[in-house]
């Protein structure tokens, strides 16, 4: 059964489930008993919302209501149950059909929850500004380092410039280095051996035979300055 609910500064319309939702996506006033849907679960209790975010959402217009979220807290009926807090869309908050009077401790609890939301929002804003300032500083350092590298190259500065940059946590110039690497390559080659048995043929294979077989495949083993370290016989066929 749906009911009419009068909330200050909030128009309300009946929902299909018998509850009441705020018209236009505007959240109910603090202290209204609501149900908050998060996924498939419902949480019920008295609402406290970050009113600065609600005002910003209202100012953004109806087109943004379905996309933006606001911070809310829900104080449950049971004093032993924890307060639910989260960020939800306005259409996830439904005014309960059965309204309950606010508890005697409401003003104290609601004030603390609202203050905590403000503190978290301000901290997030400061963190965002700090991250932005750090990103701008990194871009400035990179630009200065790039200009310094160009100036050092134009004036034929030696490695002392690079050591100075490194000592002051600035990127030194990049240059090409020749790096010698020792490489191990695995391949399979066939070696022809005359022997009395497969076991003898396996025993007769030596490094020189394998090196010659590899050389025939690559056009010369020694000419490429290659050296065979080891080999393993994987099978013998007559």
């Amino acid at each position: 059964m749906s009911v009419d609910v009068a909330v200050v500064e909030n128009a309300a319309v009946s929902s299909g489930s018998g509850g009441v939702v705020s018209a236009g996506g505007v959240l109910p006033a603090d202290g209204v008993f609501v149900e908050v849907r998060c996924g498939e679960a419902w949480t019920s209790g008295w609402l406290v919302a970050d009113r600065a975010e609600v005002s910003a959402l209202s100012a953004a217009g109806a087109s943004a209501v379905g996309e933006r979220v606001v911070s809310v807290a829900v104080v449950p009926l049971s004093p032993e149950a924890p307060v639910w807090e989260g960020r939800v869309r306005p259409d996830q908050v439904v005014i309960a059909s059965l309204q309950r009077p606010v508890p005697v401790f409401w003003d104290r609890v609601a004030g603390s929850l609202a203050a905590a939301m403000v503190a978290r929002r301000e901290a997030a804003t400061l963190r965002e500004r700090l991250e932005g300032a750090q990103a701008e500083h990194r871009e400035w350092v990179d630009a200065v380092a790039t200009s310094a590298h160009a100036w050092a190259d134009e004036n034929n500065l030696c490695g002392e410039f690079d050591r100075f940059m490194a000592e002051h946590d600035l990127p030194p110039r990049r240059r090409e280095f020749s790096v010698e690497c020792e490489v191990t390559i695995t391949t399979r080659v066939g070696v022809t051996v005359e022997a009395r048995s497969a076991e003898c043929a396996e025993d007769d294979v030596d490094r020189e035979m394998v090196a010659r077989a590899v050389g025939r495949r690559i056009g010369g083993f020694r000419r490429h300055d290659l050296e065979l370290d080891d080999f393993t016989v994987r099978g013998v066929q007559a």
Side-chain angles (χ1 to χ4, degrees):
M1 178 180 68
S2 64
V3 297
D4 294 329
V5 178
V7 180
V8 177
E9 297 181 354
N10 284 275
V13 296
S14 297
S15 71
S17 60
V20 180
V21 297
S22 300
V26 180
L27 285 177
D30 290 352
V32 174
F33 199 82
V34 300
E35 294 175 339
V36 177
R37 183 170 189 175
C38 188
E40 298 298 325
W42 285 83
T43 300
S44 61
W46 293 280
L47 175 69
V48 180
D50 187 331
R51 289 299 150 183
E53 291 185 345
V54 174
S55 298
L57 183 62
S58 299
S63 60
V65 168
E67 301 175 1
R68 299 191 182 183
V69 294
V70 296
S71 296
V72 300
V74 177
V75 180
L77 275 172
S78 173
E80 299 179 355
V83 173
W84 185 91
E85 295 182 85
R87 293 181 61 77
V88 298
R89 300 185 312 275
D91 59 7
Q92 293 178 268
V93 180
V94 178
I95 300 175
S97 299
L98 177 61
Q99 286 297 297
R100 300 176 183 271
V102 296
V104 294
F105 55 81
W106 174 251
D107 289 339
R108 184 172 67 255
V109 171
S112 298
L113 290 173
M117 291 179 188
V118 172
R120 282 195 293 268
R121 173 165 44 80
E122 292 178 346
T125 300
L126 291 175
R127 183 167 54 251
E128 183 177 349
R129 291 177 180 174
L130 176 61
E131 292 173 351
Q134 290 174 336
E136 291 178 358
H137 178 69
R138 286 193 297 269
E139 292 177 359
W140 177 81
V141 169
D142 291 341
V144 170
T146 299
S147 298
H149 294 170
W151 179 81
D153 291 337
E154 292 170 359
N155 291 273
N156 298 318
L157 296 186
C158 62
E160 290 297 329
F161 168 82
D162 297 310
R163 282 191 286 273
F164 171 85
M165 297 287 283
E167 288 173 359
H168 291 79
D169 293 328
L170 295 171
R173 289 174 294 182
R174 300 176 66 89
R175 57 186 185 274
E176 293 183 353
F177 293 88
S178 178
V179 182
E180 182 178 347
C181 303
E182 184 172 310
V183 181
T184 300
I185 300 175
T186 300
T187 186
R188 293 196 177 192
V189 295
V191 178
T192 301
V193 179
E194 290 187 4
R196 297 179 181 275
S197 64
E199 291 77 8
C200 292
E202 183 175 341
D203 293 338
D204 288 345
V205 177
D206 57 25
R207 293 171 58 183
E208 189 63 29
M209 293 178 181
V210 176
R212 287 198 301 270
V214 174
R216 286 193 295 271
R217 172 174 292 185
I218 64 175
F221 194 80
R222 305 299 180 190
R223 63 180 294 188
H224 294 295
D225 196 24
L226 300 177
E227 182 178 347
L228 180 65
D229 289 334
D230 197 6
F231 68 91
T232 302
V233 176
R234 293 301 185 186
V236 179
Q237 293 183 345

